[in-house]
Amino acid sequence: MVTFIGGIVLLILGYFIYGAYIDRTFEPATDRETPAEVLRDNLDFVPMPRWKNAIIELLNIAGTGPIFGPIMGALYGPVAYIWIVFGCIFAGGVHDYMLGMVSLRNNGDQLPSLAGKYIGKVARHLVNLFACLLLLLVGTVFVTSPANLIQQALPFGSNLQVIIVLIFIYYLVSTVLPIDKAIGKVYPWFGAILILSTIAIGVTLIFSDFTIPNLTPATMQNFHPKGLAIFPGMFFTISCGAMSGFHATQAPMVSRTITNEREGRFTFYGMMIGEGIIAMIWAAAAMSLFDGQTLSDMIDAGTASVVVDAVSKMLLGNVFGTIAILGVIVLPISSGLSAFRSLRIIIADYLNIKQDTLAKIMAITLPVYVISFILTKVDFNILWRYFNWANQVTAVLALLVTTRYLFLKSKNYWVTFIPGIFMLYACVVYIFSEPIGLGLGLGVISYIGGLIVTGILVAVYWYQGVHQKESLDPQAKLLHDEWPILTRDPDLAK
């Protein structure tokens, strides 16, 4: 229990200490107008209050990631706490904040556009491919996972396909509505359910008779019943609970509704810390209520949704446990909706299709949903595996974009570069070792080969950045992220 409570305390301190440092590094300006004000279109660019932006960001990034991921990460044992806590503070929170703020400075641009601006045209096409693939997988995963939870929560028999179709209908209607109507009206209620249910699970766990495992020298080892290696496996399993590229597709959407840059730390960094606390609670619950083999068998028998159902009812009873499951269900439904909405925006921006009529919106939305519905026929665990890899590759690309931004602005770029290099190496080793890639297995070849490939990619990236900075004249460096200038000061706008 000491490790569990201490981890949550560290996450909160991380927000006030390291989060404040990251905020000072970026230097938000209160005198700049935001895209929500200058580019308002009453569809995607709509000013909304800080508390609502924060709730939307939390629900957008959460999904089942900080629940399903930590539950599966609990198979590794208490060592999972380390990645959740330090990953959130030094990687995930920085990733979300920096990408959200860079988007805010660039008229709410999505990740592919930012990659094109700061890394190059080739990067724009590459990032667009990965972002679309990721969002399609996320949207599909966040259709099937809540559908499974709903089916298990209903007291009577239900058809899974019917539930899936109903979720798609909800997504379709919400995707084409203005963001303040589709998301702004519903998410505060979803957020209340999520927060109350999470608190209920955490508090009940602390005061229950179950023993919450601590991280000690004896428990700092790999407890995975199948012997899967901690690196890189755990860093992909616990993705949304520590760092997730999916967040890089969500932060720009919220950057289009923010009215002051000072909101950034609370909205982007703070909500990632909130997600870390959710991850800590579910990882601790999974480790406390089940041994590793039982937990593994439950996941193999279905998905992590089986564990969610069991944990909720064991800790809170059938009635309140079902209510808690509703809190879990709203996460993937909200994130699935935001995933499809982001996918529509990214495709529209990439193809330069202005979203000003229903026909143009539906021309992009309907084909996406058809493809996603087909993917729901694929085994969930296979989808999750591909999602995890595409997710972390996207996170690396987002960190490289923000690193280049900070480098060009002569700011401390190491805060994004270090976690970016670490996760780049993990991604390369993963694709070398896992069946979805070369399938070489974990060994000397995968680890050394990963180092070589990572070193080459970093060298090319560094050389390109230095050349890019040297080619900019002083005025271009000043305005690199400030065109058009959005400021409340009319003298500065001239």
Side-chain angles (χ1 to χ4, degrees):
M1 183 183 297
V2 173
T3 304
F4 170 63
I5 296 177
I8 292 177
V9 170
L10 283 175
L11 284 168
I12 296 172
L13 290 175
Y15 169 77
F16 287 104
I17 298 174
Y18 196 67
Y21 172 74
I22 295 299
D23 196 44
R24 289 196 301 272
T25 298
F26 186 86
E27 296 180 306
T30 58
D31 63 335
R32 290 174 62 100
E33 286 190 290
T34 64
E37 299 168 308
V38 177
L39 304 175
R40 180 168 186 165
D41 62 2
N42 294 322
L43 177 65
D44 297 313
F45 293 88
V46 183
M48 289 196 290
R50 185 178 103 155
W51 69 269
K52 190 171 288 189
N53 288 326
I55 288 292
I56 290 173
E57 174 70 6
L58 176 62
L59 290 173
N60 281 359
I61 67 176
T64 47
I67 298 175
F68 281 25
I71 286 174
M72 291 187 282
L75 293 170
Y76 292 94
V79 69
Y81 291 138
I82 298 177
W83 178 231
I84 293 173
V85 173
F86 292 100
C88 277
I89 295 172
F90 297 105
V94 178
H95 168 279
D96 291 12
Y97 173 86
M98 286 296 179
L99 201 284
M101 295 301 287
V102 171
S103 174
L104 191 62
R105 286 282 178 93
N106 284 274
N107 300 334
D109 280 355
Q110 289 280 347
L111 179 58
S113 297
L114 296 174
K117 180 174 184 177
Y118 292 107
I119 301 182
K121 293 182 179 180
V122 174
R124 177 173 180 259
H125 299 309
L126 179 65
V127 173
N128 192 78
L129 174 64
F130 270 100
C132 289
L133 173 64
L134 173 61
L135 288 169
L136 186 61
L137 290 174
V138 168
T140 305
V141 166
F142 292 164
V143 168
T144 56
S145 56
N148 286 322
L149 286 167
I150 292 171
Q151 185 183 42
Q152 292 169 14
L154 291 176
F156 49 84
S158 57
N159 187 295
L160 183 63
Q161 292 303 311
V162 172
I163 298 173
I164 288 175
V165 170
L166 290 175
I167 292 175
F168 269 120
I169 292 173
Y170 167 71
Y171 284 173
L172 179 61
V173 173
S174 299
T175 300
V176 300
L177 290 176
I179 190 170
D180 59 328
K181 302 296 189 299
I183 293 177
K185 298 292 185 183
V186 179
Y187 275 30
W189 296 101
F190 281 3
I193 296 172
L194 164 66
I195 293 169
L196 291 175
S197 61
T198 303
I199 292 174
I201 293 289
V203 171
T204 305
L205 178 64
I206 291 173
F207 291 99
S208 70
D209 294 330
F210 295 101
T211 300
I212 304 176
N214 287 311
L215 185 64
T216 65
T219 61
M220 193 179 291
Q221 57 179 295
N222 186 0
F223 286 94
H224 202 291
K226 296 181 180 178
L228 301 182
I230 290 176
F231 185 88
M234 188 179 72
F235 298 88
F236 287 82
T237 302
I238 308 175
S239 52
C240 296
M243 185 174 74
S244 168
F246 172 59
H247 301 185
T249 67
Q250 300 306 294
M253 187 163 62
V254 176
S255 74
R256 298 181 177 199
T257 62
I258 286 177
T259 58
N260 194 305
E261 287 191 4
R262 284 294 178 188
E263 297 179 29
R265 180 161 71 103
F266 180 72
T267 301
F268 298 123
Y269 194 99
M271 294 307 103
M272 182 63 226
I273 294 297
E275 184 172 87
I277 294 173
I278 295 172
M280 285 289 290
I281 290 173
W282 282 98
M287 282 186 268
S288 303
L289 274 62
F290 310 105
D291 61 78
Q293 189 59 56
T294 301
L295 186 61
S296 179
D297 291 342
M298 293 173 71
I299 294 171
D300 290 342
T303 66
S305 62
V306 176
V307 182
V308 171
D309 184 82
V311 167
S312 300
K313 291 177 179 177
M314 288 174 69
L315 289 177
L316 302 177
N318 287 333
V319 176
F320 290 106
T322 301
I323 295 174
I325 293 171
L326 292 176
V328 177
I329 290 172
V330 302
L331 285 174
I333 287 181
S334 58
S335 290
L337 166 59
S338 60
F340 285 122
R341 192 180 188 97
S342 295
L343 182 55
R344 171 181 63 78
I345 294 172
I346 287 177
I347 294 174
D349 289 350
Y350 188 73
L351 300 178
N352 197 28
I353 301 175
K354 191 173 182 180
Q355 300 292 274
D356 55 355
T357 66
L358 181 61
K360 292 179 180 178
I361 294 173
M362 296 301 287
I364 296 175
T365 302
L366 285 178
V368 165
Y369 283 144
V370 170
I371 296 172
S372 180
F373 182 76
I374 295 171
L375 288 176
T376 61
K377 308 299 182 181
V378 179
D379 180 73
F380 175 85
N381 291 318
I382 295 176
L383 279 177
W384 188 268
R385 183 184 301 170
Y386 280 91
F387 154 70
N388 278 337
W389 183 73
N391 189 33
Q392 297 303 53
V393 170
T394 304
V396 170
L397 293 170
L399 286 169
L400 293 180
V401 168
T402 53
T403 296
R404 181 64 57 80
Y405 168 87
L406 294 171
F407 178 72
L408 293 174
K409 302 292 288 183
S410 299
K411 299 179 185 294
N412 179 14
Y413 55 85
W414 292 105
V415 295
T416 52
F417 198 31
I418 291 175
I421 294 174
F422 174 78
M423 285 310 302
L424 174 60
Y425 176 60
C427 287
V428 175
V429 172
Y430 189 88
I431 205 65
F432 275 5
S433 60
E434 292 295 315
I436 68 171
L438 299 179
L440 299 176
L442 286 172
V444 176
I445 295 178
S446 293
Y447 288 123
I448 295 180
L451 280 174
I452 295 172
V453 172
T454 301
I456 293 172
L457 292 174
V458 169
V460 172
Y461 171 80
W462 183 261
Y463 172 80
Q464 182 193 40
V466 171
H467 178 72
Q468 182 180 2
K469 189 171 184 177
E470 289 176 347
S471 66
L472 294 175
D473 58 50
Q475 184 69 4
K477 289 179 183 178
L478 175 66
L479 299 180
H480 200 276
D481 68 319
E482 299 173 356
W483 184 260
I485 300 175
L486 306 178
T487 175
R488 293 184 175 86
D489 188 336
D491 293 330
L492 293 176
K494 294 179 180 178

